[in-house]
Amino acid sequence: MGTGTVLLAVRAPGEGAGGVLEQLRRIGAELEDTGLLVRWAGDARDARAVLRTEAGLAAAVVSWDLATRAGTPGGGGGAEVLAAISRRFKDLPVFLLMSQDAEEDFEELPLWVSEVVNGYIWPLEDTPVFIAGRVAAEARSYLEGVLPPFFKALRRFEDAHGYSWHTPAHAGGVAFLKSAAGRAFFDYYGERLFRTDLSISVGALGSLFEHNGPIGEAERNAARVFGAERTYFVLHGDSTADRMVGHYSVTRDEIALVDRNCHKSVLHGLVISGARPVYLVPTRNGYGLAGPLPPAHTDARAVRAQIAGHPLAADALAPEAQYAVLTNSTYDGLCYDTLQVARALAPSTPRLHFDEAWFAYARFHPLYAGRYGMAVGPETFDDPLRPTVFATQSTHKLLAALSQSAMVHVKPSPRAPVEHDRFNEAFMMHGTTSPLYPAIASLDVATAMMDGPQGQWLVDEAVTEAVRFRRTMVRTARRIAAAGDRPGWFFGVWQPDTVTDPATGERVDFADAPPALLAADPRCWHLEPGADWHGFEGLTDGYCMLDPVKVTLTCPGVSATGRTDARGIPARVLTAYLATRGIVVEKTDSYSTLILFSMGITKGKWGTLMDALMDFKAHYDGDTPLEHVLPALVDEHRHRYAGLTLRRLCQDMHEHLTEAALVDALDAAFRDLPEPVAPPQHCYQQLIRGRTERLPLARAAGRTAAAMVTVTPPGIPVLMPGEAVGAPDGPLLRYLGALEAFDRAFPGFRSETHGVTRDATTGAYLIECVKADGGRP
């Protein structure tokens, strides 16, 4: 374990305390001689700053009569520091520094103090060497204990410095040292990465497929921390986890209920299994954002009707669905009351899968209580109908893990037992016998970081910063409107306009609500039925809430209810400008853009974003030439953008989007689903055997899609394999045609379309269709 740090939070001694002061200095020196770093704090404010910034803390010595801040008479700071430690750290060794009157001090201490501290120190009653040694011993024990099981075993194995006689062939990085390119690679990443890149032949570390040894121990620890009965580490991302669960849960010609707002990996699982999907369609709003599945769409009667009217369900193996999968939270931060969803879908399916790729942190903050898959269990849903629940999480997305690191959490029910050996067959089909051990270690460490109070502290920090940014955006817009010295517009934030203050029961403006309330009370983020700010229909109280760490900025031009203004600023122009400032957003829609407040957020980071938004406004208001704002765009497409200003480009694009009714076309394409013609697996077979062809949109009418088409924005499949492309003037081709026209009109701003290729000469959209003689299954 690396060097640890000891916090010495002691009141600056006054007159007559020279002996105590000198003794404390000697204790600090002795601690440094043991190899520990020492951070001094003379008051509670400084001590709390150390607690916030020094994650490598190994122990703390706190004076009970510590001042709250420098120059403040009296004590009280010690209690503040102890409380902060209990919120920030799990099992951190804490020693309380006492005065010489032991009996009097003990009688004055609150009873809870003994639950926080490990011991007491009277600085003048023992030698500095003994006191420092006692603190150092506890610190070393703590540093060893914070290591989670697999990471600890991996470090121990690497520290043995044994020769490698197994794969991988670089043998601890030595092979890279034998060429110039390899040496550069080795030097860039450092030796330790390669020394811990090992083979499954190393039995001491356990097996990812057998789930034994330190790997198995790490998975069991993760199950405890994440609230699952069983957890599996997955090394190819949440996409593989989705395919794994789908492949296990439903088989050929069985029915699966699928949230249309799903990731493409969910469909891939259905292609592999041969299941017959019946899609559940979410709502949409005026920004084009996908909302939740309305409660009326998930009750038993609605599901039965949906299945009964589905063309592919007639010759399914059974009329009941064996599996249902929903996205929670959505890309835009909408999260369900999962218990309510489970109760609604329980009569319709024995297995329920929440794809929580963007929501691995939910269990660790009270704001999200009851909003994640593992919240559904026998203690919350004590009923024979309770379904088995799977939650797949992309751990690396919003927790601290290496890319592609993911987990599958399982909470089985007697109704649909999950036997480990059976599930492990699906696990092994989608896993690898050559796992990257640093990735496994990162999952282990991510789990340890969320264990105990530190998990809530980490999530709370991200939530708090997101709340501060949201309030700053609204307050900045107010100031601009009130200043009168510039045009009164500014960017908005997609969030409630007002919240209810529980202390008074009155509605207050979002920007005026106490930050502590916004960061702690989930009711502030509920999508209240009929509220204009979210624009979704058919919701009930408490059914869905907005995750505050997923911040959607809105641009002038449209509203959540679908109103279109004469002037507008399409979000693609904004994000192109932000990219020139080194700010890369997560997702861009027509008039909104998504940014994420992860655990890596800082005030400086979001302050930089605020500055860029203000600069964009200044350029727009000042009608700055485009070549000064987006010079690379103008250089690459001079024939299109030379001579334009930023304001002119925004207006041209806004008018194009308005005339093409792109947002309306998007809504129609997702609301009026294409007719299912064949199961996805059948169309995949046609694709592999060459019985498909790429056709321009004009010739694709009436044909059957052979591949999924996903357009980003908004990142949701608009056409699935086995679905009819539809009529030339139907919703799908009208939408794709509008996108194609936009790409031609505004080069450099084209949509990212998976499943669509472009003709190299004309730029026309081409989609993969089953040949006319491909036939039905």
Side-chain angles (χ1 to χ4, degrees), residues 51 55 57-59 82-94 115-116 118 138-139 141-149 221 224-225 364 447-458:
L51 296 176
L57 214 58
L82 292 181
I85 288 173
S86 66
R87 290 192 300 268
R88 175 70 172 90
F89 294 93
K90 180 185 179 184
D91 302 327
L92 182 76
V94 180
E115 300 171 356
V116 177
N118 295 63
E138 290 284 352
S141 176
Y142 171 78
L143 290 174
E144 180 66 20
V146 297
L147 296 181
N221 186 50
R224 175 186 63 83
V225 172
F364 308 104
T447 299
M449 290 178 65
M450 305 312 294
D451 191 10
Q454 59 194 349
Q456 180 173 335
W457 188 90
L458 289 167

Side-chain angles (χ1 to χ4, degrees), residues 236 238-248 250 258 262-275 277 279 323 325 353 355 430 680-681 684 687 706-710 717 719-721 754-755:
H236 297 96
D238 189 64
S239 296
T240 293
D242 285 342
R243 289 190 289 270
M244 189 183 295
V245 171
H247 197 185
Y248 168 80
V250 64
V258 182
C262 69
H263 190 263
K264 60 185 178 181
S265 58
V266 171
L267 172 74
H268 293 156
L270 301 178
V271 170
I272 293 169
S273 67
Y279 296 107
Y323 166 69
V325 54
H353 172 193
D355 181 2
H430 297 274
Q681 189 182 71
Y684 179 74
L687 177 71
M708 175 172 52
V709 175
T710 303
L719 182 65
M720 298 291 197
H754 301 282

